[in-house]
Amino acid sequence: MKCEMAKDNVILAYYGELPDELAGSLEQHLMTCEECRHELEAIQAMETPLAAIPMVEPTPNLLAQSRMRLDDALDSIPPHGFLTRLRTNFFAWMGHLRSAPALATLLVGVGFIGGNFLNRYEVASQPRPRTGPTYTNETHAVIGNVTGIDRTPDSELVQVHYNKIVPETVEGSLDSAEIRELLLKGAMAPTDNVRAESVSMLAGECKAGHQCPSRDDGKGVRNALLVALRYDKDAGVRLKALEGLEPYVAQDQKVRDAILDSLASDPDAKVRMATVSLLEPVQHDSSVRKVLRNASTQDENPYIRTVSYNALQGSDSIQ
Ligand SMILES: [Zn+2]
């Protein structure tokens, strides 16, 4: 037996972990080698003071991690021999570790797991610094939504991914595509004022004949005004939408239908009243006359009944 192996075996022997087949040759070596005898005496001398140091119980998590690392290390070693027993006896060793602080020394002596184990032990035992969260690309903005959460395994570290809403202002012509796009979004904003302003400006563009075509894809300014007229909860916004749709009553069936629906069922009298005058260019149309007739007899507002009736008389005189 060579000295290097003997020194490892001395430690194993001290903790009663040396296989019997190696005990004999170690004993022989110790009889002839003074250096290795010193090694044994050094271990015995270290045991007493080390035993006085209180030992922190390793967490089950730490033990499991060390066990995995040990398995990996042992997998790279050919089977048989006393190293295989390290794996088998690992948890028996852990018993030593709990009762005998000197196992730290043992692990250093064994070497191949010592560095890893002690390093992890130190890391796990260190008090965690309590610091605030760190940001990447922090901007002064409102958090919009959380898009993902990652937790670093076996730790308190969490990564939260999120989007921020950054306030911006853009200035430009009403005819520019960017401003149009924003106004279309504004027409559906939750804030009444924003919707009213947006719809008012879009209506003004339609009245001026600026890019307000009918589109089949449901997009565009004219469609936004139709949506506002039919669905906006604010009567002022619906009135603004009506203004913008006025130029298209005669040529666009969708516009005419939406205005007729408003006359028949809009809850606000001002909106219903405004539709009557808008329908003037098409009051000879049979569907328009039908709705006007209903309004002239059934609208709860007497003034609307009157103007509807007058509109019908006017169309009669034309025909
Ligand atoms: Zn020796």
Side-chain angles (χ1 to χ4, degrees):
M1 183 177 286
K2 289 182 175 159
C3 281
E4 195 183 340
M5 191 178 180
K7 280 174 188 166
D8 284 346
N9 286 355
V10 158
I11 299 164
L12 292 176
Y14 184 79
Y15 286 97
E17 293 294 333
L18 188 67
D20 291 340
E21 64 263 31
L22 291 174
S25 53
L26 175 64
E27 203 172 330
Q28 278 182 357
H29 182 87
L30 287 175
M31 281 161 68
T32 57
C33 177
E34 195 181 350
E35 196 187 332
C36 286
R37 268 203 311 278
H38 275 298
E39 187 78 12
L40 179 59
E41 284 159 15
I43 291 172
Q44 288 165 338
M46 210 157 33
E47 176 77 339
T48 316
L50 277 176
I53 301 170
M55 183 75 180
V56 181
E57 186 87 354
T59 65
N61 191 26
L62 176 66
L63 290 182
Q65 283 180 348
S66 301
R67 169 79 203 223
M68 275 163 49
R69 289 302 182 105
L70 179 60
D71 278 345
D72 287 347
L74 292 179
D75 280 344
S76 63
I77 297 170
H80 310 301
F82 78 92
L83 285 173
T84 313
R85 283 194 51 158
L86 295 187
R87 190 203 300 263
T88 317
N89 292 332
F90 185 78
F91 283 100
W93 282 30
M94 285 303 135
H96 282 300
L97 187 119
R98 289 200 187 88
S99 59
L103 188 67
T105 318
L106 167 67
L107 294 174
V108 172
V110 172
F112 70 95
I113 62 165
N116 173 55
F117 185 94
L118 285 184
N119 182 45
R120 280 173 173 268
Y121 185 78
E122 279 166 17
V123 168
S125 304
Q126 268 170 8
R128 279 204 189 83
R130 288 241 170 244
T131 54
T134 51
Y135 293 92
T136 55
N137 192 21
E138 185 178 18
T139 49
H140 295 288
V142 182
I143 291 174
N145 59 330
V146 173
T147 55
I149 298 175
D150 293 320
R151 179 162 184 173
T152 307
D154 303 320
S155 87
E156 295 285 305
L157 270 185
V158 177
Q159 279 189 326
V160 181
H161 311 280
Y162 56 89
N163 291 321
K164 275 192 163 186
I165 300 169
V166 183
E168 283 187 346
T169 302
V170 61
E171 188 178 297
S173 162
L174 273 172
D175 284 326
S176 74
E178 292 83 357
I179 297 288
R180 286 291 185 104
E181 195 65 33
L182 289 170
L183 288 179
L184 286 172
K185 283 188 165 54
M188 292 180 291
T191 314
D192 286 355
N193 285 349
V194 173
R195 286 202 320 282
E197 278 298 324
S198 298
V199 169
S200 172
M201 287 183 193
L202 292 172
E205 287 296 279
C206 280
K207 273 203 284 191
H210 292 175
Q211 295 174 42
C212 190
S214 173
R215 284 169 53 164
D216 291 333
D217 59 5
K219 295 174 180 171
V221 174
R222 199 188 298 184
N223 266 301
L225 295 182
L226 283 171
V227 169
L229 175 62
R230 284 187 183 275
Y231 303 113
D232 203 289
K233 62 180 165 66
D234 187 291
V237 175
R238 299 200 297 276
L239 276 173
K240 290 293 178 190
L242 265 182
E243 286 177 28
L245 292 170
E246 180 175 7
Y248 310 101
V249 176
Q251 63 189 72
D252 188 334
Q253 188 66 49
K254 278 193 289 184
V255 170
R256 199 183 308 175
D257 289 346
I259 290 175
L260 287 176
D261 285 345
S262 293
L263 172 57
S265 58
D266 195 290
D268 191 276
K270 283 200 294 271
V271 176
R272 297 201 303 279
M273 208 160 344
T275 61
V276 178
S277 58
L278 290 194
L279 290 168
E280 206 169 306
V282 287
Q283 57 194 207
H284 54 274
D285 183 286
S286 62
S287 60
V288 174
R289 289 172 61 79
K290 189 177 161 205
V291 177
L292 282 173
R293 198 173 294 121
N294 283 344
S296 71
T297 55
Q298 288 164 25
D299 199 288
E300 63 183 26
N301 183 299
Y303 186 72
I304 292 173
R305 292 202 297 271
T306 303
V307 292
S308 299
Y309 179 80
N310 289 343
L312 279 172
Q313 300 312 110
S315 69
D316 282 344
S317 66
I318 288 168
Q319 282 183 330

